[in-house]
Amino acid sequence: MPPAGGRGPGMARFLSEEELENQPKVTPALLKRIFSYLWVYRFRFMLVLLCIVVSSFFTLLPSILTGKILDEGLLKKDLTALVNYILLSLLVTFLANLIGMVESYFNTWIAQHITYDMRNHMYGHLQEMSQSFFTTNNQGDIITRMTSDIDGVQSTITNTFSSILSNSVTLIIAMIAMFRKNWILALIGIVVVPLFTLPTRKAGKTRWSLTKESQECNDEINGILNETLSVSGQLLVKLFGKEKTEYERYEKVNHRMIDLNIKERMAGRWFFVVLTTFTSIGPMLIYLVGGILMIRHGSDLTVGDVTVMVALLGKMYMPINSLLNIKVDWVRSMALFTRIFDYFDIPVEIKNAPDAVIPEKVTGDVRFENVGFAYEEGHPILKNISFELKAGNSVAIVGPSGSGKSTIINLIPRLYDVGSGSVRFDGVDVRKLDLGFLRSRIGVVSQETYLFNGTIRDNLLYAKPDATQEEMIEALKKANIYEFVEKQEKGLDTMVGNRGLKLSGGEKQRISIARILLKNPTIFVFDEATSALDSISEQKIQEAIDPIINSHTSILIAHRLSTILAADEILVVKDGAIVERGQHKELVKQGGVYAELYETQFSKALEDDDGISELEEYIWGTQPADEPGE
Ligand code: ADP
């Protein structure tokens, strides 16, 4: 943010060094692109232009009428003319303001609609961005683009553009009127303009840099306070006996602050002295030269004419000052548009292929063929992953944290696209399938369960907007959470999400399982929570998941032995490659990565489990559940 120095009426404003360095390149293409947003509302814009011209003219007219009031009314002692000109002057002022109001209405209307268009465009575009966009960009930045950057566009249109227009028109009309009255006086008027603007800018610049400095000083003071008046900071100060040193440090900056404040205040005063002096030099010069022309040279200038010139000159100061400052607004506006357009130009990475298909029959086979993938170039995460999951079967993916398990499953609904090889759904490359169809066939229960702010019902309807009450209750029952929901005073209408009922991780997970059940996908994906759930929660989730695994095609990222055992095949992933695959018993016997994981993780889980003996028997083969008689 540039320092807020030098704002206010008549005050010169400047760009910060950072802004000067990063000035956007204003190309015809950029201007054309900005203009294309305006073009949609061109007729209203023409109306705004017309209003600006007329109201600028009407604003200047009373100054011109002052001459008539003096010459025709007062000096000629003509009461009728005097009253008429006064009434006309009042009427014109009223009309100028009325037209100004119409102008401001249409101006605001256009600005609001352009903002509306841009917001929709941006939101739609962001929705199309791949998951990697959201993981690599800071959420705060994304929201800033959506909110304050686009809000800035609105003020650019209502303030910057219209200020350039109306100030230029006012200046041109005033200048024409002055030259028509008397070119000598008009020239004098123009000559004094730099006299007025240069010192203003100089004073403004001084004040601006003082403000900047005092802001830095203020930051330093806050830093010291935060550092030394915190609990741990104080402890450090006391234990090292640094009270005096810290006091001196604080006192020094504090002193600098008051110096700066006094200087800044005085720079402001100095500015007003300069401003008022120079603004009165112009009129005085016009009176003087006008007087000389009238008295000595017999010019036909009237008292009214000279007064008009002075009045018109007075009307020129504000527009000139605004236009001199316009560069600041202009650069900021262009930077704003450039930032917004940069976002618009981020290509949509994952989109429907032009020849995308929606298969008529869905089986639910998933096949990975030599899949390679990297989030960032040069850092391969998955290497040559191949496996097949037949419809109706289940596969458990196990491996150390960071080995690429979640990445594998992210490739199925195309949250990311493979780098090499292919992921096939029913034999078709997922990149060739209609994206909406593909995602509708895959239900993911992830570790970080996200429930929207709203009721439990809202969250369930998100998956199936036309779900009936019975369907919802059935899904909740299957997800082992209905009892809990039923107990809530408002039942399905209980608010959840971060503004509602605080749910435990396990409860959230089970509601999200109900949501997936309503979605009714072909393939279920469970990214099992590693976070410590209490054993009752775990058991409840397990009871919900088990029947799903048994009856649907499913992929499980498993950390619990019971889940692993429920799968038809186990894939062991390490450093992005499948290093072992097979059944539990064989893998334990192999004494490889799986056996090690089993030793360190799963057997521990087993000890915590209530059903130890059954599992023990199964694992060690004394009485294998699926191979009786062995
Ligand atoms: P796992 O599920 O086995 O714990 P992940 O698939 O989440 O592993 O991650 C595999 C590797 O990819 C890790 O090294 C992780 O840091 C990296 N990774 C995960 N997501 C991203 C991302 N969005 N951008 C860059 N690197 C990522």
Side-chain angles (χ1 to χ4, degrees):
M1 271 299 279
R7 298 266 161 89
M11 199 68 87
R13 293 188 287 123
F14 304 90
L15 292 167
S16 68
E17 276 156 31
E18 196 188 332
E19 283 174 311
L20 279 173
E21 261 173 39
N22 302 320
Q23 280 197 44
K25 235 173 108 198
V26 180
T27 57
L30 175 67
L31 294 177
K32 202 172 146 203
R33 197 164 176 188
I34 296 173
F35 199 71
S36 71
Y37 281 91
L38 209 57
W39 185 245
V40 185
Y41 305 111
R42 56 193 175 280
F43 296 115
R44 282 185 174 81
F45 185 65
M46 305 279 253
L47 196 67
V48 169
L49 275 185
L50 186 71
C51 287
I52 286 178
V53 174
V54 176
S55 90
S56 302
F57 179 67
F58 279 6
T59 312
L60 290 176
L61 210 51
S63 305
I64 299 172
L65 288 174
T66 318
K68 297 281 180 202
I69 290 174
L70 279 173
D71 290 342
E72 311 288 326
L74 293 176
L75 294 174
K76 286 192 182 156
K77 298 194 177 8
D78 180 344
L79 198 58
T80 320
L82 179 68
V83 172
N84 283 347
Y85 282 122
I86 288 174
L87 287 179
L88 185 61
S89 195
L90 286 175
L91 179 70
V92 165
T93 308
F94 171 70
L95 283 178
N97 285 307
L98 199 66
I99 296 169
M101 202 175 78
V102 175
E103 183 252 327
S104 125
Y105 169 74
F106 281 109
N107 203 338
T108 311
W109 192 96
I110 294 174
Q112 287 292 345
H113 279 75
I114 289 179
T115 316
Y116 165 84
D117 294 343
M118 280 193 160
R119 277 222 179 92
N120 287 344
H121 185 171
M122 180 84 96
Y123 191 71
H125 186 65
L126 288 176
Q127 296 277 36
E128 290 186 334
M129 292 284 99
S130 70
Q131 207 55 22
S132 64
F133 172 84
F134 295 97
T135 50
T136 45
N137 284 281
N138 180 325
Q139 190 193 358
D141 285 350
I142 301 177
I143 308 260
T144 306
R145 295 291 157 109
M146 271 304 293
T147 53
S148 45
D149 275 5
I150 299 193
D151 281 343
V153 167
Q154 188 187 318
S155 92
T156 295
I157 296 165
T158 41
N159 301 332
T160 314
F161 288 175
S162 73
S163 140
I164 296 180
L165 283 172
S166 70
N167 286 322
S168 313
V169 172
T170 307
L171 262 188
I172 292 169
I173 297 178
M175 223 108 90
I176 293 175
M178 283 176 85
F179 273 96
R180 280 183 50 139
K181 279 255 174 280
N182 185 293
W183 66 270
I184 301 176
L185 293 189
L187 270 184
I188 290 172
I190 293 171
V191 167
V192 297
V193 166
L195 287 184
F196 148 74
T197 55
L198 292 180
T200 329
R201 289 188 72 73
K202 175 87 186 74
K205 197 150 202 159
T206 316
R207 194 172 178 195
W208 187 73
S209 61
L210 282 171
T211 311
K212 211 162 82 166
E213 217 176 312
S214 84
Q215 264 178 8
E216 282 164 13
C217 196
N218 203 17
D219 289 346
E220 200 178 330
I221 289 185
N222 285 338
I224 295 180
L225 293 182
N226 275 328
E227 219 174 87
T228 56
L229 295 186
S230 65
V231 176
S232 38
Q234 259 307 305
L235 198 63
L236 198 72
V237 171
K238 287 201 167 76
L239 292 180
F240 282 83
K242 290 283 181 193
E243 289 88 344
K244 192 157 173 285
T245 326
E246 290 301 342
Y247 176 82
E248 279 163 6
R249 184 158 78 114
Y250 177 75
E251 196 266 346
K252 212 167 117 195
V253 193
N254 200 8
H255 199 269
R256 204 172 116 225
M257 188 76 197
I258 58 162
D259 276 352
L260 282 169
N261 282 346
I262 294 172
K263 270 197 207 150
E264 194 187 334
R265 252 278 156 67
M266 289 329 283
R269 289 280 130 217
W270 165 235
F271 165 80
F272 279 112
V273 173
V274 173
L275 185 72
T276 39
T277 312
F278 280 97
T279 38
S280 48
I281 286 180
M284 292 310 140
L285 263 179
I286 290 186
Y287 280 131
L288 181 67
V289 178
I292 293 172
L293 288 175
M294 282 165 71
I295 299 161
R296 287 277 163 85
H297 299 275
S299 155
D300 59 359
L301 270 175
T302 63
V303 174
D305 290 339
V306 178
T307 318
V308 169
M309 297 297 255
V310 171
L312 285 175
L313 186 66
K315 296 266 179 190
M316 282 167 73
Y317 288 134
M318 276 285 280
I320 286 174
N321 199 44
S322 282
L323 287 176
L324 281 174
N325 279 324
I326 218 70
K327 185 173 175 219
V328 176
D329 294 326
W330 178 258
V331 171
R332 284 186 189 149
S333 304
M334 291 301 125
L336 198 66
F337 279 113
T338 312
R339 272 209 304 276
I340 293 172
F341 291 154
D342 279 351
Y343 249 46
F344 284 168
D345 291 342
I346 298 173
V348 178
E349 285 170 358
I350 293 182
K351 56 182 168 200
N352 250 350
D355 52 351
V357 291
I358 301 182
E360 277 173 20
K361 218 176 117 282
V362 181
T363 318
D365 289 332
V366 175
R367 203 162 73 233
F368 273 60
E369 286 177 357
N370 309 321
V371 169
F373 175 79
Y375 287 105
E376 294 151 38
E377 247 185 295
H379 295 280
I381 297 289
L382 297 183
K383 295 154 212 156
N384 209 19
I385 298 277
S386 296
F387 71 90
E388 182 164 17
L389 171 62
K390 281 258 172 254
N393 283 3
S394 57
V395 58
I397 305 177
V398 300
S401 162
S403 56
K405 303 182 294 294
S406 303
T407 309
I408 293 179
I409 59 172
N410 283 344
L411 297 178
I412 308 173
R414 286 188 76 196
L415 292 182
Y416 299 90
D417 271 341
V418 295
S420 58
S422 62
V423 175
R424 293 178 179 272
F425 181 83
D426 281 353
V428 185
D429 191 320
V430 287
R431 287 168 293 183
K432 286 272 158 31
L433 286 173
D434 179 83
L435 202 52
F437 161 80
L438 174 71
R439 290 183 180 164
S440 76
R441 291 299 89 224
I442 296 158
V444 181
V445 178
S446 60
Q447 290 184 21
E448 293 140 35
T449 317
Y450 192 75
L451 296 180
F452 283 101
N453 274 317
T455 60
I456 295 175
R457 185 190 303 278
D458 295 337
N459 271 283
L460 294 179
L461 290 178
Y462 199 74
K464 188 178 182 204
D466 58 354
T468 61
Q469 176 87 2
E470 288 71 38
E471 284 175 310
M472 284 190 266
I473 293 178
E474 198 194 322
L476 288 169
K477 279 185 181 158
K478 281 189 182 160
N480 227 349
I481 186 77
Y482 185 61
E483 241 174 70
F484 170 82
V485 175
E486 211 183 12
K487 259 194 269 162
Q488 303 302 317
E489 200 183 318
K490 291 195 178 152
L492 272 171
D493 295 312
T494 308
M495 290 290 289
V496 291
N498 57 14
R499 273 187 264 139
L501 181 69
K502 292 273 170 288
L503 296 174
S504 74
E507 285 151 2
K508 271 202 220 162
Q509 195 104 27
R510 280 179 285 150
I511 291 182
S512 84
I513 292 174
R515 188 164 61 180
I516 292 298
L517 283 168
L518 279 173
K519 183 178 171 182
N520 192 24
T522 314
I523 296 168
F524 282 81
V525 176
F526 292 97
D527 193 345
E528 199 171 74
T530 40
S531 53
L533 289 173
D534 60 87
S535 56
I536 297 182
S537 288
E538 266 199 39
Q539 201 187 336
K540 285 194 166 147
I541 292 176
Q542 201 61 48
E543 280 168 19
I545 294 179
D546 277 346
I548 304 177
I549 299 175
N550 288 334
S551 55
H552 291 83
T553 318
S554 12
I555 302 182
L556 325 146
I557 292 187
H559 298 282
R560 280 180 298 229
L561 190 59
S562 46
T563 316
I564 298 170
L565 294 179
D568 296 301
E569 189 185 17
I570 301 166
L571 302 178
V572 186
V573 180
K574 193 178 175 205
D575 296 334
I578 298 180
V579 288
E580 289 164 24
R581 64 177 84 200
Q583 303 275 315
H584 172 78
K585 262 201 296 178
E586 306 155 16
L587 293 174
V588 172
K589 270 196 202 124
Q590 270 182 31
V593 178
Y594 183 82
E596 196 184 317
L597 277 172
Y598 173 71
E599 283 290 316
T600 54
Q601 290 185 17
F602 310 145
S603 57
K604 161 119 188 11
L606 189 70
E607 279 162 23
D608 296 342
D609 216 308
D610 290 340
I612 285 180
S613 56
E614 239 174 74
L615 278 167
E616 286 262 76
E617 277 170 9
Y618 172 68
I619 293 158
W620 300 112
T622 44
Q623 202 177 9
D626 58 348
E627 294 168 60
E630 194 187 88

